[in-house]
């Protein structure tokens, strides 16, 4: 599943290859990929055909295009395996190309999604804290790479939570865009076990943790995103390679890069958490 840095890589690709161009037509080949658009694929196609793409935007892992129609945003859910590929119109269609938008350049923007958890939907835009957001994104907090991200406010919100700090990091209404991988990496860097109660951590500890989140995401972005899934590639078909530098996530029994203790894996919701038993002692309960 793509995390924030991967989504940002896709957003930049769209900004380079799609923004400024007119959508001439949209063909929906799989209804599941437009199931979030309640009026259906024909409506989606009719409403964006003829519009010029004005921007590619992101908050957390939410990605959307805006147009020269101020009432319409196209929200792209990448789901587990969604890709946004820009291809010449005569390039063979990918097997799982479920939505195809033809641009005035003659290129096509193709939504390719093997597992069909993702999709496209149109939403009106609303104003939240001076920022225009699709209705579907209005409840999502700013992410750590947002220029208006306010660490003081996020630390205050975190200190009000009597729940595990890792759960709070994943709470998209507190801070958005942090998924399982970057939560584990930031907690490892900050030497904090994810089961510690957020409200019991000091203000400096939480500021340090948010700084590590920002650092690990910036590094991943610089490296082109993390990719564990061969299905995930960015808008130009290149996959990321940040996974080589992960310190905790996915490294069960491998030595901690700081102290050499074998990294442990613990159950976390329906997934796993990775941490160092020596650098990140479990809280006493
Ligand atoms: Zn360690």
């Amino acid at each position: 599943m793509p995390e924030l840095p991967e989504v940002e890589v896709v957003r930049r690709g769209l900004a380079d290859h799609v923004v400024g161009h007119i959508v001439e037509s949209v063909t929906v080949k799989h209804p599941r990929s437009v199931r979030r658009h309640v009026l259906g694929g024909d409506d989606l196609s009719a409403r964006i055909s003829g519009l010029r793409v004005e921007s590619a935007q992101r908050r957390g892992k939410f990605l959307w295009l805006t147009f020269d129609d101020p009432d319409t945003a196209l929200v792209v859910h990448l789901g587990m395996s969604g890709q946004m590929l820009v291809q010449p119109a005569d390039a063979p269609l990918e097997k799982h190309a479920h939505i195809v938008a033809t641009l005035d350049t003659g290129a096509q923007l193709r939504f390719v999604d093997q597992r069909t958890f993702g999709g496209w939907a149109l939403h009106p835009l609303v104003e939240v804290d001076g920022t225009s957001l699709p209705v579907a994104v209005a409840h999502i907090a700013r992410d750590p790479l947002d220029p208006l991200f306010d660490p003081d406010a996020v630390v205050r919100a975190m200190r009000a939570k009597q729940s595990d700090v890792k759960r709070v990091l994943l709470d998209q209404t507190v801070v958005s865009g942090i998924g399982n991988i970057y939560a584990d990496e930031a907690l490892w860097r900050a030497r904090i076990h994810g089961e510690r109660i957020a409200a019991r951590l000091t203000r400096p500890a939480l500021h340090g943790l948010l700084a590590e989140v920002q650092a690990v995401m910036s590094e991943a972005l610089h490296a082109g995103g993390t990719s564990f899934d061969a299905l995930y590639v960015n808008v130009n078909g290149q996959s990321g390679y940040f996974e080589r530098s992960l310190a905790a996530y996915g490294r069960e029994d491998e030595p901690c890069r700081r102290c050499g203790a074998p990294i442990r894996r613990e159950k976390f919701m329906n997934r796993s958490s990775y941490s160092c038993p020596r650098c990140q002692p479990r809280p006493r309960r």
Side-chain angles (χ1 to χ4, degrees):
M1 192 165 202
E3 294 221 23
L4 184 153
E6 289 81 5
V7 179
E8 175 61 13
V9 168
V10 175
R11 189 200 67 76
R12 290 177 181 183
L14 294 171
D16 288 348
H17 296 281
V18 177
V19 169
H21 299 302
I22 292 170
V23 177
E24 291 193 329
S25 62
V26 179
T27 306
V28 176
K29 296 178 174 295
H30 197 317
R32 214 173 123 74
S33 296
V34 291
R35 71 191 180 286
R36 291 182 183 83
H37 187 73
V38 286
L39 296 174
D42 289 346
D43 178 78
L44 184 145
S45 170
R47 280 173 55 196
I48 57 174
S49 295
L51 298 185
R52 183 185 300 277
V53 181
E54 290 212 323
S55 69
Q57 300 195 33
R58 181 191 56 72
R59 174 172 285 194
K61 299 185 225 176
F62 284 84
L63 175 69
W64 66 94
L65 298 177
T66 67
F67 301 92
D68 52 356
D69 167 1
D71 295 325
T72 303
L74 170 64
V75 176
V76 177
H77 298 267
L78 295 171
M80 301 294 283
S81 58
Q83 299 168 239
M84 296 282 275
L85 299 182
V86 176
Q87 299 277 41
D90 57 3
L93 208 58
E94 294 75 14
K95 186 176 173 199
H96 301 287
H98 298 323
I99 309 174
V100 177
T102 300
L103 305 174
D104 60 353
T105 54
Q108 290 181 337
L109 173 62
R110 299 174 179 175
F111 182 69
V112 178
D113 188 11
Q114 182 177 334
R115 298 176 68 180
T116 66
F117 288 107
W120 290 8
L122 299 181
H123 291 275
L125 289 155
V126 289
E127 201 79 1
V128 182
D129 283 344
T131 303
S132 181
L133 298 172
V135 163
V137 186
H139 63 293
I140 301 294
R142 292 187 190 278
D143 64 65
L145 299 185
D146 189 319
L148 296 179
F149 182 72
D150 179 356
D152 291 333
V154 174
V155 165
R156 274 198 300 278
M158 292 179 80
R159 295 196 81 213
K161 298 278 182 185
Q162 296 292 334
S163 47
D164 299 1
V165 66
K166 181 169 173 182
R167 278 176 195 264
V168 177
L169 284 180
L170 299 181
D171 181 344
Q172 305 293 301
T173 65
V174 174
V175 50
S176 71
I178 306 175
N180 206 32
I181 297 170
Y182 295 109
D184 280 2
E185 291 300 299
L187 287 163
W188 179 84
R189 289 178 181 215
R191 305 180 191 225
I192 295 171
H193 193 283
E195 288 179 22
R196 290 178 66 182
I197 301 297
R200 293 189 208 152
L201 289 165
T202 64
R203 214 170 269 115
L206 289 170
H207 273 287
L209 178 57
L210 289 179
E212 297 297 2
V213 169
Q214 285 176 309
V216 73
M217 282 186 172
S218 302
E219 289 167 29
L221 189 54
H222 190 70
T226 307
S227 178
F228 290 96
D229 190 339
L231 292 171
Y232 179 75
V233 288
N234 73 24
V235 74
N236 292 319
Q238 302 156 324
S239 64
Y241 50 90
F242 185 66
E243 73 265 33
R244 282 184 219 149
S245 35
L246 293 178
Y249 189 86
R251 296 192 65 239
E252 186 179 15
D253 293 333
E254 290 177 50
C256 170
R257 297 196 204 278
R258 215 162 24 214
C259 74
I263 294 289
R264 79 186 142 197
R265 179 163 71 94
E266 294 168 295
K267 281 212 169 80
F268 174 74
M269 301 165 83
N270 291 322
R271 297 183 285 176
S272 298
S273 285
Y274 297 88
S275 59
C276 172
R278 202 176 294 160
C279 300
Q280 299 164 266
R282 288 184 61 85
R284 288 187 295 270
R285 286 283 164 87

